[in-house]
C-alpha cells in the first residue's frame, strides 16, 4: 500500500525513527551526542544531505540502474546495472558531500563553521546510505522518497538532540565505572526507543 | 607472544571492535533478534573483512595515499555485493530478513577501520588473519546479544521453541528498545571484567 508523503514524513520522524527502530547512524549518534550544539549541527547536516541524496539516488536508480531502465537505448538493451546500486549510491553520497562542502566553504564562512566540520563524517554515516536503500526496498515514488529522506534526517536530529540533553544531565550523576560512556548511552537510547513506541498507534509504515 | 596470537587476542578481546572502539554497532543491533540472522551476518562480516584486508594489503604499495579511502570503499563494496548476490541466490528468505543490513556492511566502520589501521601497514597473510580476528570479535558480541534476545524475547533458540508463548519472560527484548538495553548491559559486563582484570595486574 502506498502511503501519502505527509504520512511517510511523520512516520519517519516518530514511529519509524531511523535511530530507534532502524538502528542506523549509531556511530556518530554515540560519538557526537556529548554536547547539544554539536548535536544540532550534525542533525542539520544529516537532514540536508539525506534529503538531497535520496532525491538524487531515486533519479539515478529509476532512470539508470533499475532493471530495464535503459532498454530505450539500443546498444544497452538487456544490460542489468542493478548489482551496482550500492556502489553507485555510496559514490553519489560521497561526491555530494564533497561538492556541498566546497560550495559552503565559498559562499558562507559562518555556515561552514557550523556545518562544515560535520560533512566529512556524513559519508560514513550509515543512516544516509540506509535511507537510500530503504527507499528502493519499499518502492517509494519520487515525492515520497524525498519526504522519507527529509523525515529520516529530522528524526535522526530529534534523537541526537534528545540524547545530548540527557547526557548533559547525566554528567552530574554517579554512574558505575564500567557503565560510563557507551554503556549508559546505549541503555538510555533503549529507554528512549521504548518511549517512542508509544507513537506506534499513530501511523505505521513498512 | 607470537604475532598471530596477538592479532586474535586484540581482535576478539583487548581491542574488540564493537565494545572497545564502538565500531559497527548499527548492524549489531539490527540483526540480533534471531541467532540464525546473527550467524549469517557475522559470516558476512568475517568474509568481507578478511578479503578486504587481504586485497588492500596486496595493493598497499600501489594505492596513492590521497585516493586510498575511495579505493578501499570500492574494494569493500565489491565483496559486499558478491556476498549479497550469493545470499539472494541461495538463501532468499534470509536475504529478505536481513534486508538492507547486508548492504550496509559497506559503511560498517570495522572493515574500513581495520584496513586503514592494519592492512595498509602489514603483509597480506597477517592482514587476512586480522580481518578474521576482528570479524570474530564482532561475532562474539552479535551471538551474545542474539542469544539473550532470542531466548528471553521470543522464547526460542535457532528457531526451536524452548518456552511456551504464554511464559515468554521479556517480550520487549525482541523489540528495538530491548536491543539497545541488552547491548548496554553487555558492554557494562565486559568493561567491568576488563577493569577488574586491570586492577589485578
Amino acid at each position: 500500500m502506498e502511503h501519502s508523503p505527509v504520512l511517510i514524513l511523520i512516520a519517519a520522524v516518530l514511529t519509524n525513527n531511523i535511530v530507534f527502530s532502524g538502528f542506523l547512524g549509531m556511530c556518530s549518534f554515540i560519538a557526537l551526542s556529548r554536547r547539544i550544539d554539536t548535536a544540532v549541527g550534525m542533525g542539520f547536516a544529516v537532514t540536508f544531505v539525506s534529503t538531497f541524496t535520496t532525491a538524487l539516488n531515486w533519479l539515478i536508480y529509476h532512470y539508470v540502474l533499475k532493471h530495464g531502465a535503459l532498454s530505450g537505448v539500443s546498444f544497452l538493451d538487456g544490460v542489468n546495472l542493478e548489482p551496482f546500486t550500492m556502489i553507485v549510491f555510496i559514490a553519489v553520497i560521497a561526491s555530494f558531500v564533497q561538492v556541498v562542502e566546497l560550495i559552503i566553504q565559498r559562499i558562507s564562512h559562518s555556515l561552514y563553521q557550523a556545518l562544515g566540520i560535520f560533512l566529512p563524517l556524513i559519508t560514513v554515516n550509515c543512516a544516509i546510505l540506509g535511507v537510500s536503500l530503504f527507499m528502493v526496498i519499499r518502492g517509494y515514488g519520487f515525492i515520497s522518497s524525498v519526504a522519507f529522506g527529509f523525515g529520516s534526517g529530522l528524526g535522526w536530529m530529534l534523537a541526537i538532540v534528545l540524547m545530548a540533553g540527557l547526557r548533559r544531565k547525566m554528567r552530574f550523576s554517579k554512574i558505575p565505572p564500567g557503565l560510563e560512556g557507551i554503556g549508559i548511552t546505549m541503555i538510555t537510547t533503549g529507554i528512549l526507543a521504548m518511549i517512542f513506541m508509544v507513537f506506534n498507534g499513530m501511523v505505521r509504515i513498512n | 607472544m607470537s604475532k598471530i596470537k596477538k592479532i586474535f587476542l586484540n581482535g576478539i578481546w583487548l581491542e574488540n571492535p564493537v565494545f572497545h572502539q564502538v565500531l559497527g554497532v548499527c548492524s549489531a543491533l539490527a540483526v540480533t533478534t534471531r541467532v540464525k540472522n546473527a550467524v549469517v551476518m557475522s559470516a558476512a562480516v568475517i568474509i568481507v573483512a578478511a578479503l578486504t584486508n587481504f586485497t588492500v594489503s596486496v595493493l598497499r604499495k600501489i594505492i596513492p595515499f590521497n585516493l586510498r579511502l575511495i579505493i578501499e570503499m570500492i574494494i569493500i563494496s565489491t565483496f559486499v555485493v558478491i556476498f549479497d548476490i550469493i545470499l539472494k541466490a541461495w538463501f532468499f528468505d534470509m536475504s529478505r530478513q536481513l534486508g538492507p543490513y547486508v548492504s550496509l556492511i559497506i559503511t560498517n566502520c570495522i572493515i574500513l577501520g581495520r584496513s586503514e589501521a592494519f592492512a595498509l601497514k602489514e603483509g597480506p597473510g597477517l592482514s587476512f588473519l586480522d580481518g578474521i580476528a576482528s570479524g570474530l570479535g564482532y561475532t562474539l558480541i552479535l551471538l551474545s546479544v542474539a542469544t539473550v534476545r532470542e531466548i528471553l524475547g521470543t522464547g526460542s533458540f535457532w528457531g526451536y521453541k524452548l518456552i511456551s508463548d504464554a511464559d515468554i519472560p521479556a517480550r520487549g527484548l525482541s523489540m528495538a528498545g530491548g536491543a539497545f538495553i541488552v547491548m548496554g548491559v553487555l558492554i557494562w559486563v565486559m568493561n567491568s571484567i576488563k577493569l577488574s582484570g586491570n586492577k589485578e595486574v
Side-chain angles (χ1 to χ4, degrees):
Chain A
M1 193 178 76
E2 177 80 19
H3 297 278
S4 84
V6 180
L7 273 185
I8 289 176
L9 179 76
I10 296 172
V13 178
L14 295 175
T15 55
N16 289 55
N17 188 292
I18 196 105
V19 175
F20 297 135
S21 79
F23 307 106
L24 295 174
M26 286 302 297
C27 304
S28 36
F29 176 79
I30 289 174
L32 293 172
S33 58
R34 286 197 195 94
R35 293 163 51 98
I36 293 184
D37 46 354
T38 40
V40 173
M42 184 69 180
F44 275 115
V46 167
T47 311
F48 182 76
V49 174
S50 88
T51 312
F52 283 94
T53 53
T54 319
L56 274 175
N57 281 338
W58 191 91
L59 293 173
I60 292 174
Y61 180 75
H62 283 269
Y63 291 110
V64 182
L65 296 170
K66 201 179 179 185
H67 191 48
L70 291 175
S71 52
V73 190
S74 58
F75 65 95
L76 286 173
D77 200 24
V79 175
N80 183 10
L81 292 175
E82 263 195 79
F84 296 99
T85 306
M86 285 184 272
I87 300 176
V88 172
F89 279 6
I90 247 306
V92 167
I93 293 168
S95 31
F96 180 79
V97 169
Q98 288 270 289
V99 170
V100 169
E101 202 185 350
L102 282 176
I103 294 174
I104 290 183
Q105 208 172 0
R106 283 286 162 84
I107 56 171
S108 160
H109 187 68
S110 56
L111 193 63
Y112 183 71
Q113 288 284 313
L115 285 185
I117 42 168
F118 301 111
L119 285 172
L121 292 171
I122 287 185
T123 318
V124 287
N125 187 331
C126 51
I128 309 281
L129 181 63
V131 169
S132 288
L133 291 171
F134 271 124
M135 153 199 102
V136 169
I137 291 175
R138 293 177 184 165
Y140 288 149
F142 183 69
I143 306 288
S144 304
S145 298
V146 176
F148 180 61
F150 181 61
S152 301
L154 280 185
W156 197 85
M157 179 151 90
L158 177 67
I160 193 171
V161 172
L162 280 176
M163 194 66 218
L166 287 172
R167 281 181 85 169
R168 199 172 70 160
K169 297 268 180 209
M170 277 193 287
R171 221 178 293 156
F172 305 105
S173 332
K174 217 174 155 219
I175 300 165
L179 195 58
E180 273 171 347
I182 320 161
I184 190 73
T185 312
M186 278 285 174
I187 293 177
T188 319
T189 316
I191 296 168
L192 273 177
M194 287 184 175
I195 294 169
F196 267 67
M197 272 162 50
V198 173
F199 294 116
N200 271 0
M202 271 171 56
V203 52
R204 189 86 199 155
I205 53 170
N206 287 307
Chain B
M1 195 164 30
S2 77
K3 217 167 177 181
I4 294 170
K5 204 172 150 196
K6 202 175 151 208
I7 287 174
F8 276 94
L9 196 65
N10 273 344
I12 297 170
W13 182 246
L14 289 176
E15 285 172 17
N16 184 297
V18 181
F19 83 90
H20 184 77
Q21 308 170 42
V22 214
L23 300 177
V25 193
C26 312
S27 54
L29 291 163
V31 300
T32 47
T33 41
R34 290 194 179 74
V35 178
K36 222 181 216 171
N37 298 2
V39 169
V40 174
M41 191 68 186
S42 308
V45 169
I46 293 175
I47 293 169
V48 174
L51 291 177
T52 307
N53 260 4
F54 179 78
T55 319
V56 170
S57 175
V58 168
L59 298 175
R60 73 185 187 281
K61 297 223 170 78
I62 55 168
I63 296 178
F65 189 75
N66 293 331
L67 294 177
R68 69 185 197 289
L69 281 178
I70 300 171
I71 294 174
E72 280 163 11
M73 283 309 249
I74 293 172
I75 295 172
I76 297 171
S77 332
T78 313
F79 288 123
V80 171
V81 171
I82 293 172
F83 193 88
D84 195 41
I85 291 173
I86 293 176
L87 209 59
K88 262 189 199 133
W90 283 318
F91 306 97
F92 190 69
D93 287 339
M94 183 52 76
S95 156
R96 280 199 69 116
Q97 276 187 30
L98 292 176
Y101 293 101
V102 172
S103 321
L104 284 170
I105 294 177
I106 296 177
T107 50
N108 188 322
C109 348
I110 294 177
I111 295 165
L112 190 63
R114 287 325 288 173
S115 59
E116 276 280 288
F118 197 93
L120 281 177
K121 298 183 196 101
E122 305 278 346
L126 284 179
S127 299
F128 186 77
L129 290 179
D130 183 73
I132 293 182
S134 1
L136 284 176
Y138 177 82
T139 311
L140 173 73
I141 305 286
L142 241 68
L143 288 187
S144 329
V145 177
T147 312
V148 172
R149 284 183 72 195
E150 193 175 0
I151 293 179
L152 296 184
T154 60
S156 42
F157 183 79
W158 199 266
Y160 295 108
K161 270 259 161 275
L162 298 178
I163 309 166
S164 68
D165 272 345
D167 301 327
I168 289 174
R171 252 173 232 279
L173 290 188
S174 64
M175 293 169 195
F180 291 107
I181 291 176
V182 173
M183 180 68 95
V185 172
L186 184 73
I187 289 170
W188 183 11
V189 170
M190 289 192 154
N191 273 339
S192 306
I193 296 172
K194 232 180 190 178
L195 285 175
S196 63
N198 285 351
K199 261 176 223 156
E200 281 159 25
V201 176

